[in-house]
Amino acid sequence: MKQQRMRGASVPRTARLTVGVLVVAAGALLGNGGPALADPAPPVAPAPADAAQQDDGCTVNQLLPYANCRWSRLYGLRLFYGADLHGIDLESSVLPRAELPGVIFGVTEGGGWSARLGSVNFSAADLSEAKMVGVTAWGVDLQRANLTKADLTGADLSYARMTEANLTDATLTRADLRDATLTGANLTRAQLADADLSGKDLTGTTLTGANLTGAILKGANLTGANLSGVDLSGKDLTGTTLSGANLTGATLKGANLTGAQLVGADLSGKDLTGTTLTGTTLTGANLSGKDLSGKDLTGTILSGANLTRAQLVGADLSRADLTGKDRSGADLTDANLTGARIENADARVTNFTRATLEGTNFHGTNLVLATLTGARLDTLTNFDGADLGWTIWIDGHHCTATSKGRCS
């Protein structure tokens, strides 16, 4: 009678759970790299097996779709290519240098939930070709991570740290990048269509061949960025910093560069048709031979810029800064230079015919053989220290070779 009761005794719940975990783990090992059982319907709220799992995270064998693995510590984790972890909750876990190529974190073709990866440490991890569509990854650490060909479509990457991450050929279409850090990241040929990069610090990033269709770049910092071959035509680049950027082969036609910073930019071979340059900083820029006729360059800073043989016919350069460097041979016929500064510049053979020079400062400028026929001056126009040798004066007569400060 005693033996019968022992055989019929119920198995403790903890033992049943242990057996269940072993069965699922065995199925995962014997199958094609994933659970042998059919993927269950998404639970309303994933729950840990017990309190210990919730506090201490998961072991490798517990990494399954929809598992609650928050706070896991899995240093140097290695999973097979294409491991399915969609719907898993890894928030605040630490997985630096993990090898997770092709891992599935996002929504699968069969539906379900995307993984929760908020504040996960993936620094220096291999996530190449990872499927991360729609994942919630706010504050995730992806510094120096390899995300080559990863699909991050619609992912929440707000506050993510992606400094020096490799995102070559990655898809970031409609990704939420609010307050994300991307300095030094490699975004070569990345898909950034409709991405909001406004105000983003993109210093030193590589965007060669990137797709920026519909992307917002207003106020972004692209100092020293590699933008070779990038199509920026028609873009609103108001307040954007492009100083020291590589613009080889980039297109700027019709772009709005109001208040933008293009210090040292080489624009000599660029088509600037329809481009807005009002208040733009072009210090040290190369604009030699460019046709900027009729443009509104009010308040534009062109100090040290190369304007050799540039066409500025009818341009509005009121309050512009044209101090220093070479302006020789430039055509400023009918230009408005009211209140402009052209101090200590080389303006030899420059054409100022009928230009408005009221309040213009030519202090120390070389105006040898320049033409001022019909130009409008006023009492504030300053020629102190200017070299006016052989300059054609406003009334059409030639100044003497030794004219200095005034035409004689």
Side-chain angles (χ1 to χ4, degrees):
M1 194 70 181
K2 183 177 181 181
Q3 291 179 345
Q4 288 178 351
R5 282 196 302 272
M6 291 178 66
R7 285 196 298 270
S10 61
V11 179
R13 180 175 179 273
T14 55
R16 290 201 305 273
L17 286 172
T18 303
V19 172
V21 171
L22 290 173
V23 170
V24 173
L29 292 171
L30 293 172
N32 295 323
L37 301 176
D39 188 21
V44 174
D50 52 42
Q53 180 178 331
Q54 185 175 22
D55 293 337
D56 301 332
C58 295
T59 63
V60 175
N61 292 335
Q62 293 171 320
L63 295 176
L64 296 168
Y66 301 112
N68 186 340
C69 292
R70 293 186 177 188
W71 303 99
S72 296
R73 299 292 182 268
L74 297 164
Y75 296 91
L77 174 67
R78 298 179 65 183
L79 294 182
F80 56 83
Y81 182 92
D84 188 359
L85 296 177
H86 76 276
I88 194 170
D89 188 344
L90 283 168
E91 285 188 3
S92 301
S93 295
V94 179
L95 293 90
R97 299 180 299 282
E99 295 184 25
L100 306 170
V103 69
I104 300 171
F105 281 125
V107 177
T108 62
E109 293 181 0
W113 291 350
S114 294
R116 298 178 65 84
L117 305 174
S119 296
V120 174
N121 183 347
F122 280 124
S123 59
D126 181 4
L127 289 160
S128 55
E129 300 185 34
K131 310 300 186 291
M132 304 175 78
V133 177
V135 297
T136 302
W138 43 263
V140 66
D141 186 350
L142 291 166
Q143 297 179 90
R144 299 179 303 283
N146 180 7
L147 289 149
T148 303
K149 296 184 178 180
D151 190 349
L152 291 148
T153 302
D156 180 359
L157 295 167
S158 54
Y159 299 96
R161 288 171 289 167
M162 293 185 277
T163 302
E164 297 181 7
N166 186 355
L167 290 151
T168 301
D169 293 310
T171 301
L172 291 148
T173 304
R174 297 186 304 280
D176 184 352
L177 295 166
R178 286 174 298 166
D179 296 297
T181 305
L182 285 159
T183 53
N186 186 348
L187 290 154
T188 301
R189 297 185 301 278
Q191 296 297 316
L192 288 158
D194 302 317
D196 187 354
L197 300 170
S198 56
K200 192 74 59 203
D201 187 356
L202 299 170
T203 302
T205 55
T206 300
L207 287 155
T208 305
N211 179 8
L212 293 167
T213 303
I216 304 172
L217 288 162
K218 187 176 180 179
N221 185 353
L222 288 154
T223 301
N226 187 347
L227 294 161
S228 56
V230 176
D231 186 2
L232 296 170
S233 56
K235 287 284 182 194
D236 184 359
L237 299 171
T238 303
T240 301
T241 301
L242 292 156
S243 299
N246 182 355
L247 295 169
T248 304
T251 307
L252 289 166
K253 185 178 180 180
N256 184 356
L257 289 160
T258 301
Q261 304 280 325
L262 285 126
V263 177
D266 186 358
L267 303 174
S268 57
K270 293 282 177 284
D271 183 354
L272 299 177
T273 304
T275 303
T276 305
L277 294 166
T278 306
T280 305
T281 299
L282 291 160
T283 304
N286 184 3
L287 290 157
S288 60
K290 292 307 303 174
D291 189 352
L292 301 171
S293 298
K295 282 199 174 296
D296 183 357
L297 299 171
T298 305
T300 299
I301 300 174
L302 290 154
S303 57
N306 186 350
L307 289 166
T308 307
R309 300 182 304 282
Q311 299 296 308
L312 292 153
V313 177
D316 187 352
L317 287 152
S318 53
R319 301 187 307 282
D321 185 349
L322 294 135
T323 56
K325 201 60 177 178
D326 194 351
R327 286 88 175 85
S328 60
D331 190 349
L332 288 147
T333 301
D334 296 315
N336 181 4
L337 289 152
T338 303
R341 296 177 58 198
I342 314 179
E343 303 165 47
N344 302 308
D346 183 356
R348 291 172 296 171
V349 201
T350 299
N351 190 352
F352 291 100
T353 300
R354 296 187 303 278
T356 301
L357 303 175
E358 296 172 348
T360 306
N361 190 351
F362 288 101
H363 178 80
T365 293
N366 187 345
L367 289 163
V368 172
L369 294 174
T371 301
L372 280 76
T373 305
R376 295 175 56 186
L377 313 180
D378 66 3
T379 56
L380 295 177
T381 305
N382 182 13
F383 289 101
D384 289 347
D387 190 344
L388 297 166
W390 302 114
T391 297
I392 302 177
W393 199 240
I394 58 175
D395 58 4
H397 86 272
H398 286 76
C399 303
T400 62
T402 58
S403 295
K404 200 85 167 180
R406 60 187 296 275
C407 183
S408 56

